[in-house]
Amino acid sequence: MKARVSKDELLDKLANIQNIVEKKNTMPILSHFLLNAGKKGSSIIATDIETALREPIDVAVEKEGKICIPARKMFEIVREVDGELSFETVDEQWLKVRSGQASSNLPVFRMLIFLHGPPPWRRRC
């Protein structure tokens, strides 16, 4: 995956999901959000198993992909940088985040293990 997004856009979306992602590490995947970067539309999804939130996000996608990113760490990085951020996956295990002179590497999960909200038997119609 390779994409670019403005700081304000990403910061707004990450602020919205902070109350959903787990603060404790009972299940590490619950402290992550899914970034679905597609050329026809992109979104971020966060869940705590009982609640799921999907937010559309305006991303300039060069190479499509889906990865799970640590929500709290990404939020902290985005708050500190200025301008546009660029993302690039490295070996589907790392996400390189760049903004100006700043650069960070975050460990990521593949999309296959992300939970997409409550299991069917717990959903309410």
Side-chain angles (χ1 to χ4, degrees):
M1 182 191 76
K2 192 171 183 180
R4 292 183 325 272
V5 65
S6 73
K7 173 187 175 171
D8 294 336
E9 173 80 5
L10 187 57
L11 190 60
D12 180 49
K13 303 303 180 183
L14 290 175
N16 290 343
I17 66 169
Q18 288 305 305
N19 291 328
I20 293 177
V21 293
E22 278 285 322
K23 283 125 186 102
K24 303 176 199 117
N25 282 335
T26 54
M27 289 178 65
I29 194 66
L30 297 180
S31 64
H32 289 60
F33 69 93
L34 176 67
L35 173 61
N36 179 5
K39 293 187 178 183
K40 293 185 178 180
S42 301
S43 63
I44 61 174
I45 302 170
T47 184
D48 66 358
I49 297 184
E50 293 179 5
T51 306
L53 176 66
R54 180 178 184 191
E55 289 270 348
I57 187 167
D58 187 24
V59 177
V61 178
E62 293 178 36
K63 184 178 175 188
E64 295 181 331
K66 297 178 182 182
I67 54 167
C68 300
I69 305 169
R72 177 94 37 217
K73 288 196 186 281
M74 179 62 89
F75 185 64
E76 291 170 3
I77 290 170
V78 173
R79 278 193 332 208
E80 298 298 322
V81 299
D82 292 322
E84 187 175 75
L85 290 103
S86 66
F87 305 124
E88 186 173 0
T89 53
V90 179
D91 299 329
E92 292 188 6
Q93 295 179 354
W94 295 94
L95 180 68
K96 181 169 266 199
V97 181
R98 293 184 188 162
S99 178
Q101 298 292 337
S103 179
S104 297
N105 288 321
L106 295 174
V108 295
F109 291 127
R110 293 181 57 199
M111 177 269 188
L112 298 174
I113 62 172
F114 190 76
L115 305 171
H116 288 283
W121 62 89
R122 296 190 70 190
R123 291 184 184 147
R124 295 183 183 148
C125 297

